[in-house]
Amino acid sequence: MRVAVFSSKSYDRKFLDAANAGRHQLVYLEPRLDASTAIAADGAQAVCAFVNDHVDSAVLELLAQQGIRLLALRCAGFNNVDLVAARALGIEVARVPEYSPYSVAEHAVAMILTLNRKIHRASARVREGNFALEGLLGFDLHGKTVGVVGTGKIGYCFIRIMAGFGCRVLAFDPYQNEHCVAAGAEYVDLPQLLSSSDIISLHCPLTPQTHHLIDEKAIRTMRRGAMLINISRGGIIDTRAVIRGLKSGMIGSLGLDVYEEEDNLFFRDLSNTVIHDDVFARLLTFPNVVVTGHQAFFTHEALSEIARITMENISSFEQTGKAAYPVSVERIV
Ligand code: NAD
């Protein structure tokens, strides 16, 4: 099958080529998929897209006109795809439901340790010959309460790690996961989780229900000075409200791997340009904020598995007309 791979980077090429082993013709395209670039899929039967590709109804229509029958997402989330339009146009949507939940959970833990022990600041100080400890005081994780919102595959891994630190773990999810209970998590409602946690970590998908789940009201419910971690999707927190929370001290520290407007920023080198997003720029001025550019998934194991399952989706679709891991529209309606 000829597959147009949008938003492709050198590492995508390396892992996808290895998993493909010459079976399909992969055409690597650097631009993001949107209405202005969809035409580049001409001649392909499938499109491979990533988290910040805009796969709305207009883009899907352009793809359908070119004969695209499969949209193979090389990620778990599918909030950037109009699934209703895809079904109406007869385009199968596939994803990688699970690759390495460890990669993402471990990145959340890296953020907690960095923010708590101020590793980002300490490292910069030492490089300048400043060995003073003022301002670097942290706290023991042991005995602290960690609130986990979303207890699926990543949330479960995260809970196990935090329980290993000796933390008390509170959890909120519409569906209880018995493995999380066995790992020591106690399910509570969201207000109780927010008001009782020293650290809150978000591991739910972005849906209409979770959009701005952490807003002004939620922040007012939080324990003063709590640490907030979002490695899930940017839209789950209201960034402007979080900035106000940081200024008032309600939020003691913030770790972000995702950002509401990240598709204008992430996955490219902008170091020689001016950042025009003032909200993002304000975030970077806080000493108690750490931001990474959507890299929680970025481990060798995760990329190998993403490539393997993406190829499985494409091969299965070619052979049977059905992807191995389709996304059904029923998931959102
Ligand atoms: P999953 O489907 O296994 O688990 C998600 C959990 O969230 C489920 O248990 C679900 O019931 C729960 N949930 C749904 N709505 C909720 C709500 N309103 N409140 C609380 N919980 C709710 O998914 P996963 O593999 O654990 O991934 C979770 C999310 O992590 C993905 O949706 C994606 O957005 C994000 N993610 C980020 C990266 C990254 O690199 N930063 C990588 C992979 C996944």
Side-chain angles (χ1 to χ4, degrees):
M1 232 173 168
R2 188 176 159 96
V3 185
V5 185
F6 282 88
S7 299
S8 60
K9 306 285 180 198
S10 59
Y11 46 83
D12 293 311
R13 184 183 288 257
K14 179 177 159 198
F15 284 91
L16 288 171
D17 279 350
N20 183 34
R23 273 175 298 169
H24 303 284
Q25 191 188 351
L26 305 182
V27 181
Y28 291 102
L29 303 163
E30 280 180 30
R32 198 168 65 185
L33 173 59
D34 60 25
S36 68
T37 61
I39 189 72
D42 195 32
Q45 293 83 49
V47 154
C48 181
F50 195 48
V51 288
N52 288 329
D53 287 315
H54 280 289
V55 204
D56 58 16
S57 59
V59 169
L60 286 161
E61 252 172 59
L62 288 168
L63 294 178
Q65 280 162 19
Q66 293 170 86
I68 299 297
R69 293 160 48 233
L70 172 68
L71 171 66
L73 297 168
R74 53 182 191 282
C75 53
F78 47 86
N79 50 286
N80 53 334
V81 181
D82 185 335
L83 294 177
V84 177
R87 183 167 70 175
L89 291 161
I91 295 179
E92 170 103 329
V93 181
R95 66 174 183 136
V96 182
E98 180 174 354
Y99 39 93
S100 167
Y102 310 103
S103 64
V104 186
E106 288 171 13
H107 194 76
V109 178
M111 289 203 136
I112 291 171
L113 293 171
T114 302
L115 285 166
N116 175 27
R117 307 306 292 265
K118 284 99 177 150
I119 302 296
H120 53 308
R121 300 184 65 202
S123 175
R125 272 191 201 184
V126 168
R127 278 170 185 264
E128 290 193 355
N130 176 357
F131 303 99
L133 298 183
E134 281 85 359
L136 301 182
L137 192 66
F139 54 81
D140 286 4
L141 283 174
H142 183 267
K144 293 296 178 297
T145 301
V146 179
V148 184
V149 179
T151 57
K153 293 176 283 293
I154 295 167
Y156 170 56
C157 284
F158 178 76
I159 287 169
R160 285 178 57 191
I161 299 171
M162 297 319 291
F165 276 110
C167 293
R168 174 183 177 221
V169 180
L170 300 180
F172 171 71
D173 193 305
Y175 303 98
Q176 290 204 8
N177 178 340
E178 66 191 53
H179 299 296
C180 295
V181 175
E186 181 191 333
Y187 278 89
V188 294
D189 62 24
L190 187 60
Q192 192 183 338
L193 181 148
L194 294 174
S195 62
S196 310
S197 299
D198 301 293
I199 299 169
I200 296 160
S201 197
L202 307 174
H203 300 284
C204 54
L206 176 62
T207 63
Q209 292 74 38
T210 63
H211 181 256
H212 285 188
L213 187 78
I214 302 299
D215 59 5
E216 200 87 53
K217 184 167 167 247
I219 293 166
R220 273 201 305 274
T221 316
M222 281 164 59
R223 192 176 265 194
R224 188 171 184 80
M227 180 189 290
L228 177 65
I229 305 291
N230 185 13
I231 56 160
S232 199
R233 283 294 180 266
I236 297 171
I237 68 172
D238 176 346
T239 314
R240 286 178 169 80
V242 163
I243 287 174
R244 287 192 287 276
L246 283 161
K247 285 164 80 176
S248 70
M250 277 308 287
I251 296 176
S253 54
L254 173 72
L256 296 181
D257 186 50
V258 286
Y259 170 59
E260 282 185 274
E261 306 294 333
E262 70 176 48
D263 52 350
N264 295 320
L265 296 168
F266 289 4
F267 301 118
R268 71 197 91 153
D269 181 358
L270 298 178
S271 55
N272 283 322
T273 61
V274 171
I275 302 277
H276 289 274
D277 183 329
D278 291 344
V279 175
F280 187 76
R282 181 68 178 100
L283 277 177
L284 300 184
T285 65
F286 293 97
N288 49 349
V289 171
V290 167
V291 183
T292 51
H294 206 139
Q295 70 168 78
F297 72 101
F298 203 58
T299 68
H300 189 96
E301 291 77 4
L303 291 196
S304 301
E305 198 56 8
I306 288 170
R308 186 185 71 74
I309 295 171
T310 299
M311 287 306 139
E312 195 182 330
N313 274 327
I314 294 167
S315 294
S316 166
F317 184 80
E318 186 181 50
Q319 287 155 18
T320 68
K322 199 95 199 104
Y325 300 96
V327 184
S328 88
V329 73
E330 284 70 33
R331 291 186 66 116
I332 53 145
V333 292

